[in-house]
Amino acid sequence: MAQNISRRAFLKTGLTAAAGLAATGLALPQAVQASQGGELCTLLDLSKCIGCEACVEACREQWQAGLPDPAGPIPRSLPPRVPIEDWSRRKDVQDRLTPYNFLYLEHLEVPHQGRQVELHLPRRCMHCSNPPCSNLCPFGACQTESNGAVHIEQDVCLGGAKCKNVCPWHIPQRQSGVGLYLSLMPQYMGNGVMRKCHRCLPLLAQGQAPRCIEACPQQVQSIGPRREQEGKAEALARDMAHKDGASPEKWRDYVYGLMENGGTNTIYVAPLPFKEINAALLQDHQERAEKDRAAEQKAGRRPEAGNLGRPHLGPVKDSMADAKNLTLALAVAPLAGLAAGLGRFLGKTRKLAASAAPPASPAEAQKGGLS
Amino acid sequence: MSIHDLTPGGRPARWLYGLATGLLVFSGMAQLPMMKRYYLADLPGMAWSEDFFITSNLHYLAGALLLALMAWRLGLKARQAGGWWSWGPRGAWGWTLLAVLMVTGAGKVARNAGVYLPPDLFMALGLIHLGAAMAFIFTGLGSLIKGRKAEVQGRQTA
């Protein structure tokens, strides 16, 4: 029988874990606790990561067991446009994002200045400052907390995957056959639930560090108030650029997440430019995607479209920039309308209205209008 | 000359109101992930309708047009009491729905611009906006059908 993960259960699991962590003294630094109420940002120093995957294991241990599996046959959508995405029998997959794996590691060899640089990158949700997934979710299932954590309410999500579509990195992953849609019209609306990293929200609420940060033996990640972390990221990136032989002005090439999508609460700093890292990353993704698609076809499943749960590290413009600009249009439009109504245009229409006869019949009077 | 030509703004205002509400309904519906699922985006020339950012921008522009029209109407009303209008809601119910849509829409616009809203409030705004939009659509359709019937009956009895 499938488990239902409710907000209460989610928080309960988290609180139990938080109590355990508190007992071991693994809590957020005081400065971070004091900043509760503001956005918290994680900073990843990739020069420290050794690729041990302790963070991945910690995340899976903490959250995977509490995720519900489909109880029975998964309803097919009508018309059959939306594929069933069932990862419940592939929970062991941890080399990409899945609905049961919120964090994975990229292991790369990046050609740089005539040598191969070994690099390991933890990848998960970027927790954008102004996240399109949360803003554009039609049901409010994808939510942004005041501490900057972006999470998906499993009780509310219908699995339409709009969040994945509008995410510049296509982070959220769908598990079909679970969630609210089963109680509505499963064949015609929704297709499961979307899942992704929630940055250990229940632990954060208790002043505890996310598991990936706490489990890391190299202290690759740190968490703190966004402004502080931005300053640290810049200082670190300047240092990296200097060590790499680049001019100090080039420090932005060594940092990712600071400006992408209007700014995220996950900032990476690397010892080589992200342009080079992304080129190696995309090549690696292409090779792995071909293998994955071949395996999917062999297993009789419809091959997945898109980036196969492996986000890029390329430039990303602010997804919400148009919406911000159009807000001005919305603010100006009524003022312009009012001015026109009160202005000279009125003179002409008043004369016209004064000479107009009343409606000839109720039927004619009813013509037009929407409501 | 019909009443629509005599109404302030005449036919253009009526058509602009129809255009604004029509675009708002379409682009609003397109915010639900259904254009691709139900093959509407596969129709010739409709591929853009599955792009949530394009339809969101369209929703904003149509909203700006509707706000301008409503404010223009308000401006006229302030200077000229009474008068006949051939466009816009005709009853308190329609106006209430429109007001709810504008207020909840304003909340969503603020969130999109980066203003923080508590998750439960934002969810409530979204669901109320969706519910009011559905009510507005059905009320509008009902009104159009009713108006058309009355028009036909009026012609028959004339």
Side-chain angles (χ1 to χ4, degrees):
Chain A
M1 190 178 161
Q3 290 173 282
N4 279 325
I5 185 162
S6 63
R7 189 183 179 102
R8 183 180 291 178
F10 178 70
L11 288 169
K12 195 177 163 188
T13 311
L15 290 176
T16 310
L21 281 170
T24 57
L26 294 168
L28 280 180
Q30 268 190 332
V32 176
Q33 290 189 42
S35 79
Q36 294 287 326
E39 277 182 52
L40 294 176
C41 176
T42 51
L43 172 62
L44 291 92
D45 179 353
L46 296 180
S47 67
K48 290 181 178 174
C49 185
I50 55 170
C52 68
E53 303 210 354
C55 53
V56 179
E57 293 299 339
C59 177
R60 291 165 64 87
E61 274 173 27
Q62 181 71 46
W63 301 113
Q64 199 186 73
L67 297 170
D69 298 329
I74 299 174
R76 292 193 178 278
S77 71
L78 281 174
R81 186 71 185 257
V82 190
I84 288 174
E85 292 179 61
D86 183 13
W87 286 88
S88 60
R89 290 177 188 151
R90 289 180 283 165
K91 291 182 186 177
D92 57 322
V93 174
Q94 63 181 61
D95 67 342
R96 54 162 286 173
L97 298 172
T98 78
Y100 292 92
N101 194 60
F102 305 157
L103 169 68
Y104 78 102
L105 241 74
E106 298 276 8
H107 304 282
L108 292 173
E109 285 205 348
V110 186
H112 178 63
Q113 297 177 350
R115 61 198 163 94
Q116 295 289 319
V117 178
E118 193 181 329
L119 204 65
H120 310 280
L121 299 95
R123 298 309 309 274
R124 55 165 170 75
C125 174
M126 300 288 285
H127 297 278
C128 305
S129 269
N130 192 21
C133 58
S134 165
N135 292 344
L136 300 182
C137 174
F139 306 107
C142 191
Q143 304 184 340
T144 309
E145 298 293 333
S146 57
N147 64 13
V150 183
H151 64 104
I152 298 170
E153 269 294 319
Q154 299 291 292
D155 293 344
V156 181
C157 181
L158 297 174
K162 184 180 177 184
C163 52
K164 183 178 181 180
N165 191 305
V166 298
C167 171
W169 296 277
H170 308 300
I171 298 280
Q173 301 290 313
R174 175 161 53 198
Q175 174 58 45
S176 302
V178 290
L180 179 63
Y181 90 114
L182 290 173
S183 309
L184 302 171
M185 295 186 291
Q187 288 180 305
Y188 306 102
M189 190 173 76
N191 192 17
V193 292
M194 305 304 294
R195 294 176 185 157
K196 68 172 195 69
C197 160
H198 41 70
R199 215 172 61 180
C200 294
L201 185 61
L203 305 186
L204 267 181
Q206 292 299 305
Q208 303 300 314
R211 291 286 284 134
C212 55
I213 297 177
E214 173 266 320
C216 180
Q218 296 294 109
Q219 285 85 48
V220 170
Q221 288 191 68
S222 64
I223 186 166
R226 181 171 171 80
R227 195 158 289 180
E228 274 180 31
Q229 296 291 77
E230 283 176 348
K232 284 181 189 171
E234 182 179 339
L236 192 58
R238 282 184 185 279
D239 185 46
M240 297 272 189
H242 176 71
K243 283 179 182 165
D244 198 40
S247 67
E249 293 81 42
K250 294 280 185 187
W251 69 270
R252 286 185 188 277
D253 294 350
Y254 295 77
V255 64
Y256 191 83
L258 197 59
M259 301 301 288
E260 279 68 24
N261 202 27
T264 75
N265 282 314
T266 301
I267 302 175
Y268 294 94
V269 181
L272 63 161
F274 274 93
K275 195 176 175 184
E276 293 174 26
I277 299 172
N278 190 47
L281 194 73
L282 293 181
Q283 192 181 342
D284 181 64
H285 286 181
Q286 194 177 346
E287 289 165 10
R288 288 157 77 186
E290 281 168 18
K291 283 182 195 167
D292 286 356
R293 288 203 172 94
E296 291 285 290
Q297 277 179 330
K298 198 176 173 184
R301 289 187 290 263
R302 196 197 296 189
E304 193 184 340
N307 71 346
L308 301 181
R310 297 187 186 103
H312 64 86
L313 280 166
V316 175
K317 72 177 183 74
D318 185 356
S319 306
M320 301 309 296
D322 285 349
K324 285 178 196 165
N325 295 333
L326 285 168
T327 303
L328 185 66
L330 283 173
V332 169
L335 298 176
L338 197 62
L342 290 169
R344 282 184 62 196
F345 187 49
L346 176 65
K348 291 178 187 173
T349 53
R350 269 173 69 194
K351 281 179 194 167
L352 194 61
S355 64
S361 69
E364 198 172 5
Q366 286 293 314
K367 195 176 175 184
L370 269 178
S371 61
Chain B
M1 184 179 279
S2 81
I3 186 65
H4 305 299
D5 300 314
L6 299 172
T7 302
R11 282 186 190 274
R14 182 180 168 232
W15 281 104
L16 283 175
Y17 175 74
L19 178 71
T21 48
L23 285 177
L24 279 165
V25 167
F26 180 80
S27 55
M29 296 288 280
Q31 290 305 301
L32 302 170
M34 57 182 283
M35 292 298 169
K36 189 176 178 185
R37 177 165 184 162
Y38 289 104
Y39 300 94
L40 291 166
D42 290 1
L43 295 173
M46 291 298 290
W48 59 271
S49 67
E50 69 170 291
D51 186 320
F52 295 111
F53 291 108
I54 291 176
T55 51
S56 171
N57 291 350
L58 190 61
H59 205 65
Y60 271 73
L61 290 171
L65 176 59
L66 185 66
L67 282 175
L69 280 170
M70 287 298 167
W72 176 69
R73 180 173 173 154
L74 196 70
L76 285 180
K77 202 81 177 169
R79 296 280 300 269
Q80 175 192 334
W84 166 246
W85 297 89
S86 69
W87 57 271
R90 284 192 217 106
W93 172 242
W95 281 109
T96 305
L97 287 176
L98 206 54
V100 168
L101 285 167
M102 285 180 184
V103 170
T104 52
K108 287 166 78 73
V109 165
R111 182 70 192 90
N112 287 351
V115 176
Y116 176 75
L117 296 177
D120 289 344
L121 172 63
F122 187 54
M123 185 194 287
L125 283 177
L127 294 177
I128 293 170
H129 194 78
L130 187 62
M134 298 306 287
F136 190 81
I137 291 167
F138 286 118
T139 304
L141 285 175
S143 179
L144 278 175
I145 293 165
K146 204 174 151 188
R148 191 68 68 190
K149 270 185 183 172
E151 188 186 355
V152 171
Q153 280 169 0
R155 279 181 191 158
Q156 283 171 348
T157 52

